[in-house]
Amino acid sequence: MILNEESNIGEIIKVNAEAIDVIASVNKHFSKLKNPILRKLLASKVNVRDAARIGNVKPIDILLELQKIGFEIQQETGNVSDNTVLSQINTHEIVKEIPESVHENIVVMDVRPLLDLGTDPFNRIMKQLKNLLPQQQLLIINTFEPVPLINMLKEKGFLYKTSRPVQGEVHTLFYKQIEMYDMPETQPTVYENNDGIFREKTEYFQQKSRAIDVRDLEMPLPMVTILKELEFLEKGFALLVEHKKFPQFLLQELSTRGYNLVSSKINEHHTRLLIYK
Amino acid sequence: MFGLSTQRAPSPTLVVPYFIFSAIAFLIFSVLLFFSIPELSMHFMNPKILALTHFAALGWISMIIMGALYQLVPVIFETGLYSQKLGKFNFIIFGTGILGMVWSFWTLHFKNWLFLFGGLVFLAFMIFSFNIFKSISRSAKSHFAGKLVLSAIFWLLITGLLGFLLTLNYTFPFLKQDQFNLLKTHAHFGMIGWLLFLVMGVSSVLIPMFLVSHDLKEGFLKKALYICNFALLLISIDWIVFAGTQWIPVYLLIFFFGFSYFLRYIFDSYRKKLRKLDIGMKHSMISFVFLLIPGVLAVFLSLSGWKMMPDIHQLIIPYGMSIFIGFFSNLILGQMYKTLPFILWLHRYKHLVGKNEIPMPKDLYSEPLAQWQYYIYLLAVLFFALGFLFEMAFLLYSGAALLILTALLFNINVLIIVLFKKQITSIGIQK
């Protein structure tokens, strides 16, 4: 088997199980490969270059060790050379400047105790990410750069940044691009006095709407009535409200509860509202 | 309009301090008034009367009106307030200015200190106006309630400017006009231009809203807006330029004519109401009836320029008191019950509506205390009126004592509204 930086560790191990011990001897980080669970988790997802990054060594070191147990190594380019500088290893093109706004709300997750117990932290990390609020970011602390995880989350649209604050400790920060949370579909919309959209939406909800008139109610009963009606509204239905005016103080609450609002002004004393999810 | 801001209600942390300052100022005012009864029979240009007038006009009335207006910007102009931070900052400037100014008057520090604190108050007027103008500039709406509020703010700035020039004049005399006329003009810019026009603008929105009356004639407001502003302009030019001519009663008639349109608007709203008057609205509606007192006094005072009238300057203090205590205080003592509970209700319970049993704004204060406050207040006004009519100090003291009691009850209810939060459980409200 001819090896280069792209070679998959899992396949190398499949060919020759001795490789486990060899790679483990390169750097103590790789001793984790001796743990079958971690090996299954890591080995199949990483290549030699990734492994070097995880171990914070040069890829050539690993390749040279593997050469000793009978693997051939391909050195057609100068890339696999001693010149590979460690600092470059930590520089990933994908990392842009983290926007100012994401500096708060870091959820820290130290996975080292789990790894020491031989448990795969993957599911817990994914669960944590799922529960992450918009604007929050997840900081994973472990002993190596979680390259498989990074590759997977990169595909899911996460940005990441790694740092090694102290020897043997790798911090990986995952965060989403802010724009991803500002998608129009996810935020309730308010259309004030938009007759076109109002007509379109009332037609759409024609068979599926409930109508109420709050014009004769004293403040704050119009708001109370609307919110109560919405609580009992069937899914997919809209609430059609006859109101005296555009409800200034109700807007935010509708937004918080995830409702869209479109209004159409009939005259100075009569505005119609359509509220829907 | 995508991305429309839905955050229209200002934070209670902005509005509530204005209400609390105002309520306490009203209490202190009524106590100071009690100890100034002897001064009430003197000429109105005496330090204690000046201190009291400014404490009432600024600390009690303007303070609460400004706080309420921050909340009402979305209702009147259909846009959010430009800057809440500026509003909070202005509270400190305005509060400091008022306390310093009243102290300067009371302790006769007419030089330097009055100038300094008067300057602070004027600065607060400018910051407030800037904040409101900036908010409105984002609003496309312009109905007459909004225009009345805008004209009120214009007069507020003019009042502040003239007041500031007067304090400057104490430090560096430069005004050639008669002080008496300038002070009179300053007072009317404040009472009519600022406070009355603002009250007209705000109540033309709030009263139909609270009484739930439909199809009112906006045309009445339009006439009131133009005619009243025109009359005030005529009166002030006459006073400043011609030191008061015999035409004043004519301008007053023009003013009454314009104001009658506003009263018709309010009466129309009252006639078409779908709701009964609650305690807050009773207080406020009776205040419009009480306007008859300063109206009649104004007619007598305006005729004083005519040679055949006897000197009636002793009517000036009852005239001022009938405006400040009889009208503005009356209106505010009632409107507080309609605004402050709603502001805090919105903040505390809105998110629970439909999900839980929640209290209504009217459940946030003590109704019996409010009833007592209303009747004791009416008694206070009666005693003041009788006291002036029969020139008996005993009756005036009784009036002032009853006003203190009114202020106490009012303050207790403000505290109840602000401090006592009803505990909401999943089962219901814990009283």
Side-chain angles (χ1 to χ4, degrees):
Chain A
M1 190 181 181
I2 301 163
L3 303 182
N4 60 20
E5 285 190 26
E6 308 292 334
S7 305
N8 187 290
I9 299 284
E11 280 166 26
I12 298 172
I13 292 171
K14 251 184 235 164
V15 172
N16 186 346
E18 252 188 274
I20 299 169
D21 291 318
V22 173
I23 298 171
S25 71
V26 174
N27 184 303
K28 64 174 168 36
H29 286 294
F30 297 132
S31 57
K32 297 206 166 57
L33 283 177
K34 290 180 180 173
N35 178 322
I37 299 168
L38 285 178
R39 186 165 67 234
K40 210 173 137 203
L41 167 74
L42 293 173
S44 60
K45 293 175 189 165
V46 301
N47 58 29
V48 174
R49 193 190 299 128
D50 292 333
R53 251 165 69 190
I54 293 170
N56 206 10
V57 295
K58 294 168 227 169
I60 191 70
D61 293 340
I62 298 174
L63 290 172
L64 289 172
E65 286 302 312
L66 289 170
Q67 200 177 26
K68 287 178 191 163
I69 57 164
F71 286 100
E72 280 183 58
I73 53 172
Q74 184 189 29
Q75 271 189 302
E76 86 279 35
T77 60
N79 285 349
V80 190
S81 71
D82 292 349
N83 296 336
T84 314
V85 190
L86 279 182
S87 62
Q88 278 179 340
I89 291 167
N90 292 331
T91 318
H92 316 306
E93 314 78 49
I94 185 100
V95 177
K96 295 177 193 154
E97 269 299 296
I98 300 182
E100 281 281 312
S101 49
V102 281
H103 278 294
E104 295 169 346
N105 295 324
I106 295 179
V107 177
V108 180
M109 194 173 168
D110 192 344
V111 296
R112 287 174 299 184
L114 285 173
L115 287 170
D116 287 341
L117 290 169
T119 316
D120 182 1
F122 181 78
N123 288 335
R124 292 208 189 185
I125 292 173
M126 292 316 284
K127 204 175 150 195
Q128 192 69 257
L129 279 170
K130 220 173 165 182
N131 292 334
L132 218 57
L133 296 171
Q135 321 302 345
Q136 270 187 333
Q137 43 188 342
L138 182 66
L139 180 70
I140 297 198
I141 301 174
N142 65 348
T143 49
F144 57 90
E145 195 174 329
V147 176
L149 188 69
I150 289 173
N151 290 340
M152 210 192 82
L153 292 178
K154 233 157 55 175
E155 279 170 28
K156 294 199 172 203
F158 282 87
L159 296 179
Y160 72 103
K161 196 172 193 177
T162 55
S163 64
R164 293 167 198 267
V166 285
Q167 184 67 39
E169 197 174 310
V170 179
H171 289 189
T172 312
L173 195 65
F174 290 103
Y175 58 98
K176 282 215 167 187
Q177 264 175 310
I178 298 300
E179 299 87 86
M180 296 184 67
Y181 295 103
D182 290 340
M183 300 297 277
E185 295 83 40
T186 58
Q187 205 166 33
T189 322
V190 175
Y191 300 100
E192 190 174 349
N193 283 333
N194 194 322
D195 295 337
I197 296 179
F198 185 83
R199 213 174 306 120
E200 182 190 310
K201 290 287 175 189
T202 31
E203 267 164 36
Y204 177 79
F205 285 107
Q206 206 170 25
Q207 307 299 325
K208 297 168 84 182
S209 69
R210 213 182 118 63
I212 52 167
D213 188 340
V214 298
R215 283 176 293 174
D216 288 352
L217 298 176
E218 188 189 352
M219 191 197 76
L221 286 175
M223 174 193 289
V224 171
T225 311
I226 292 169
L227 290 174
K228 273 189 183 158
E229 285 288 340
L230 287 174
E231 284 300 311
F232 296 110
L233 200 66
E234 275 177 72
K235 215 178 164 190
F237 271 62
L239 189 65
L240 182 66
V241 186
E242 310 291 336
H243 208 295
K244 274 198 90 169
K245 58 183 186 64
F246 190 73
Q248 299 290 331
F249 297 136
L250 177 66
L251 280 189
Q252 197 200 352
E253 191 55 31
L254 285 181
S255 217
T256 312
R257 297 187 186 192
Y259 288 100
N260 304 294
L261 171 77
V262 50
S263 79
S264 165
K265 192 172 178 173
I266 310 293
N267 60 43
E268 279 303 318
H269 311 289
H270 186 190
T271 290
R272 305 183 84 189
L273 315 169
L274 191 76
I275 304 168
Y276 55 95
K277 273 233 166 156
Chain B
M1 263 172 92
F2 172 68
L4 205 67
S5 160
T6 54
Q7 174 63 55
R8 301 267 170 103
S11 157
T13 56
L14 164 67
V15 180
V16 172
Y18 282 84
F19 275 76
I20 292 175
F21 185 107
S22 169
I24 295 170
F26 179 48
L27 182 60
I28 298 173
F29 163 78
S30 56
V31 171
L32 291 178
L33 181 68
F34 185 87
F35 291 105
S36 312
I37 295 296
E39 270 81 7
L40 293 183
S41 51
M42 295 180 194
H43 193 275
F44 74 92
M45 265 192 76
N46 88 63
K48 285 194 177 174
I49 298 295
L50 288 176
L52 280 173
T53 310
H54 284 87
F55 205 27
L58 299 171
W60 156 232
I61 301 167
S62 295
M63 190 58 107
I64 205 163
I65 282 184
M66 282 187 186
L69 200 62
Y70 287 137
Q71 181 78 21
L72 291 172
V73 161
V75 178
I76 299 176
F77 299 105
E78 308 196 3
T79 178
L81 181 67
Y82 168 67
S83 169
Q84 297 202 39
K85 269 191 195 149
L86 204 57
K88 286 180 187 171
F89 171 71
N90 204 26
F91 173 73
I92 297 164
I93 304 273
F94 193 37
T96 314
I98 293 167
L99 294 177
M101 178 190 256
V102 171
W103 170 81
S104 310
F105 277 129
W106 193 269
T107 57
L108 294 163
H109 286 88
F110 278 66
K111 277 191 180 173
N112 305 335
W113 286 111
L114 184 61
F115 170 64
L116 173 78
F117 290 117
L120 272 186
V121 169
F122 186 36
L123 177 68
F125 286 174
M126 290 192 279
I127 296 173
F128 172 77
S129 310
F130 174 76
N131 210 351
I132 301 293
F133 281 134
K134 272 293 212 183
S135 316
I136 298 170
S137 66
R138 300 184 297 188
S139 157
K141 309 283 156 53
S142 79
H143 39 69
F144 293 102
K147 283 182 182 156
L148 274 162
V149 171
L150 277 181
S151 72
I153 292 173
F154 164 77
W155 290 110
L156 172 73
L157 289 173
I158 300 285
T159 312
L161 179 69
L162 186 53
F164 186 62
L165 290 178
L166 282 166
T167 63
L168 199 66
N169 199 43
Y170 283 120
T171 317
F172 318 99
F174 69 98
L175 292 171
K176 293 181 185 60
Q177 282 94 339
D178 177 24
Q179 288 280 301
F180 179 76
N181 271 322
L182 288 181
L183 200 65
K184 206 159 65 177
T185 316
H186 166 72
H188 283 82
F189 281 162
M191 290 190 302
I192 309 298
W194 157 236
L195 292 176
L196 188 64
F197 289 170
L198 191 77
V199 160
M200 285 163 74
V202 169
S203 50
S204 69
V205 174
L206 290 192
I207 287 177
M209 189 165 99
F210 292 136
L211 294 180
V212 191
S213 27
H214 304 309
D215 304 320
L216 302 177
K217 294 194 180 66
E218 276 250 309
F220 286 169
L221 286 183
K222 183 181 173 179
K223 289 193 178 96
L225 167 76
Y226 293 127
I227 300 172
C228 289
N229 269 291
F230 178 63
L232 182 60
L233 200 66
L234 286 177
I235 294 173
S236 55
I237 291 172
D238 192 305
W239 275 337
I240 294 176
V241 183
F242 306 106
T245 65
Q246 295 183 348
W247 287 94
I248 297 286
V250 177
Y251 309 144
L252 187 67
L253 270 183
I254 299 175
F255 180 82
F256 282 166
F257 176 63
F259 194 71
S260 71
Y261 280 107
F262 170 73
L263 289 179
R264 279 171 73 182
Y265 183 86
I266 296 297
F267 184 69
D268 201 25
S269 165
Y270 177 77
R271 216 165 37 88
K272 292 177 176 166
K273 69 180 189 298
L274 298 172
R275 291 286 148 262
K276 269 170 61 181
L277 297 185
D278 61 11
I279 186 64
M281 290 313 287
K282 241 196 277 186
H283 231 308
S284 303
M285 293 310 278
I286 199 92
S287 70
F288 291 108
V289 179
F290 279 23
L291 271 177
L292 205 63
I293 307 169
V296 170
L297 291 175
V299 173
F300 281 108
L301 284 166
S302 73
L303 291 171
S304 66
W306 293 18
K307 294 291 175 279
M308 63 273 224
M309 290 297 291
D311 183 22
I312 44 172
H313 81 263
Q314 69 269 27
L315 283 185
I316 291 174
I317 286 177
Y319 169 68
M321 282 179 71
S322 67
I323 294 178
F324 283 123
I325 299 176
F327 179 63
F328 289 122
S329 300
N330 199 352
L331 189 72
I332 292 169
L333 283 169
Q335 283 305 297
M336 187 285 287
Y337 288 104
K338 303 301 289 181
T339 47
L340 189 62
F342 175 70
I343 291 164
L344 289 167
W345 177 88
L346 205 59
H347 176 65
R348 289 180 194 154
Y349 305 113
K350 187 173 61 172
H351 65 285
L352 295 171
V353 176
K355 298 175 174 169
N356 238 325
E357 193 196 337
I358 52 159
M360 285 287 106
K362 67 172 170 47
D363 301 323
L364 301 189
Y365 59 85
S366 156
E367 167 84 18
L369 282 188
Q371 293 281 0
W372 277 105
Q373 175 208 297
Y374 176 63
Y375 292 109
I376 290 172
Y377 163 81
L378 291 182
L379 266 184
V381 174
L382 181 70
F383 274 90
F384 276 126
L386 293 174
F388 282 117
L389 209 60
F390 301 112
E391 294 181 6
M392 286 170 76
F394 159 73
L395 292 173
L396 292 176
Y397 275 111
S398 309
L402 289 168
L403 196 66
I404 295 174
L405 200 54
T406 307
L408 271 174
L409 294 172
F410 179 76
N411 268 270
I412 293 171
N413 251 337
V414 168
L415 285 181
I416 290 175
I417 296 165
V418 174
L419 297 180
F420 290 92
K421 293 176 188 158
K422 299 266 192 297
Q423 293 302 309
I424 307 288
T425 62
S426 52
I427 316 156
I429 311 156
Q430 258 171 25
K431 298 260 159 137

